[in-house]
Amino acid sequence: VLYKESVGTGTPTPITPEMERVKRNQEICSSVLYKENIGKATPTPVTPEMERVKRNQEIISSVLYKENVGKVTPTPITPEMERAKRNQEIISSVLYKENLGRATPTPITPEMERVRRNQEHISSVVYKEGLGKATPTPVTPEMERVKRNQEHISSVLYKEHLAKGTPTPMTPEMERAKRNQENISSVLYSDSFRKQVQGKAAYVLDTPEMRRVRETQKHISTVKYHEDFEKSKGSFTPVVTDPITERVKKNMQDFSDISYRGIQRRVVEMERKRVDQDQENLTG
């Protein structure tokens, strides 16, 4: 208080860049001198009580920090901010991977598999709940072409990454198991077919349109049949003549001649008898 009373009125001077530089240099020098004056310390172990106090202090500091934060003005996220954010995430991911050391692999137990599957199901459910309403877009030919090209590229890349396999010989036991599996599949398919399809008729509505189509089909079939008949009328089908056919043909001709001549003789005899009887009637 006495010091301040003896101080008179001063003339304020503007802070120049030179004064700023001197001030920063003075702060750096003070920091260096402070560190030089620090002697050697004795390390103390971190006890659970010290850990608890440290966590409480961090929580209190976080609460006080949030209380001292005033109201802010929200700014829209621009494409440039999005790009900078993505670049920062990529850089952070690269730096994180560079700082990783060697890890010890642990075996995956059935319990870990079960927890992992449950977590995937929960994540899927939460993801679907957070989805909003989407606007469907039509699938254009260009999108179809790009999709097919992507599938071809994926197939090619997949085949390129395949390693060489070791061929295994097909043993008789494997052949037998394969045939048995085919027989079992055939039996199951036949049983399913008999139970579901066989013996059941397919009912189709007899609409006027179907009747008209059926009548038209009948007319077309009739016209086609007559057209084919007219084309084939008067024509013959050539047959190759072999010795067996010749022998059968000759035998049939002999039988026909014998039958014909026998009938002819009877006709001649009956005609002669009739003439003789007529003459006897005239003379008698």
Side-chain angles (χ1 to χ4, degrees):
V1 176
L2 294 176
Y3 169 74
K4 292 183 179 180
E5 287 180 355
S6 62
V7 174
T9 304
T11 303
T13 57
I15 298 175
T16 61
E18 183 64 20
M19 294 174 66
E20 287 285 344
R21 185 181 63 80
V22 172
K23 183 178 179 181
R24 283 195 301 273
N25 292 339
Q26 189 64 34
E27 290 175 354
I28 294 169
C29 293
S30 300
S31 176
V32 172
L33 294 175
Y34 171 76
K35 292 181 180 179
E36 287 179 354
N37 294 329
I38 294 176
K40 294 181 178 180
T42 303
T44 57
V46 180
T47 62
E49 183 64 19
M50 293 174 67
E51 287 285 344
R52 186 182 63 80
V53 173
K54 183 179 178 182
R55 285 197 300 272
N56 292 339
Q57 190 62 35
E58 289 176 355
I59 295 170
I60 294 170
S61 299
S62 176
V63 172
L64 294 176
Y65 171 76
K66 292 180 179 178
E67 288 180 354
N68 294 329
V69 174
K71 296 181 179 180
V72 296
T73 304
T75 58
I77 299 175
T78 61
E80 183 65 21
M81 294 173 66
E82 287 285 344
R83 185 183 63 80
K85 183 178 178 182
R86 284 196 300 273
N87 293 340
Q88 190 62 35
E89 290 175 354
I90 295 169
I91 294 170
S92 300
S93 176
V94 172
L95 294 176
Y96 171 75
K97 293 180 179 179
E98 289 179 354
N99 295 329
L100 286 178
R102 293 183 179 180
T104 303
T106 57
I108 299 176
T109 61
E111 182 66 17
M112 294 172 66
E113 286 287 342
R114 185 182 64 80
V115 172
R116 181 180 175 186
R117 285 196 300 272
N118 292 340
Q119 190 62 34
E120 290 176 356
H121 295 328
I122 294 170
S123 300
S124 176
V125 172
V126 173
Y127 172 74
K128 291 180 180 178
E129 288 179 354
L131 288 178
K133 295 182 178 179
T135 304
T137 57
V139 179
T140 60
E142 182 65 18
M143 293 172 68
E144 287 286 342
R145 185 183 63 81
V146 172
K147 183 179 178 182
R148 285 195 301 272
N149 291 341
Q150 189 63 34
E151 290 176 355
H152 296 328
I153 294 170
S154 300
S155 176
V156 171
L157 294 177
Y158 171 76
K159 293 179 179 178
E160 288 179 353
H161 294 154
L162 286 178
K164 293 182 179 180
T166 304
T168 57
M170 186 70 71
T171 60
E173 182 65 20
M174 295 173 66
E175 287 285 345
R176 185 183 65 79
K178 183 178 178 181
R179 285 196 300 272
N180 290 341
Q181 189 63 34
E182 290 176 354
N183 295 334
I184 293 170
S185 300
S186 177
V187 170
L188 294 177
Y189 173 76
S190 300
D191 290 343
S192 177
F193 175 78
R194 282 194 296 269
K195 291 178 181 178
Q196 296 180 7
V197 179
Q198 192 174 11
K200 295 181 180 180
Y203 297 97
V204 181
L205 295 177
D206 190 8
T207 60
E209 181 65 19
M210 293 183 67
R211 286 196 294 269
R212 185 184 65 79
V213 172
R214 189 164 59 246
E215 291 294 332
T216 304
Q217 191 65 33
K218 287 181 182 179
H219 295 326
I220 294 172
S221 300
T222 304
V223 172
K224 183 69 176 175
Y225 172 75
H226 285 293
E227 182 180 354
D228 295 339
F229 176 75
E230 292 295 333
K231 288 182 179 179
S232 61
K233 188 170 63 175
S235 61
F236 60 93
T237 302
V239 180
V240 179
T241 304
D242 54 350
I244 297 176
T245 306
E246 287 288 342
R247 183 175 60 79
V248 172
K249 183 178 178 182
K250 186 176 181 181
N251 292 338
M252 290 297 297
Q253 189 173 0
D254 293 339
F255 289 144
S256 298
D257 291 343
I258 292 171
S259 299
Y260 174 74
R261 289 174 183 175
I263 295 172
Q264 186 67 23
R265 283 195 298 268
R266 290 178 59 189
V267 172
V268 172
E269 290 176 358
M270 292 175 65
E271 185 67 23
R272 187 181 299 114
K273 289 180 180 180
R274 187 179 64 79
V275 173
D276 292 343
Q277 188 175 3
D278 290 341
Q279 288 179 358
E280 290 176 359
N281 293 331
L282 291 175
T283 57

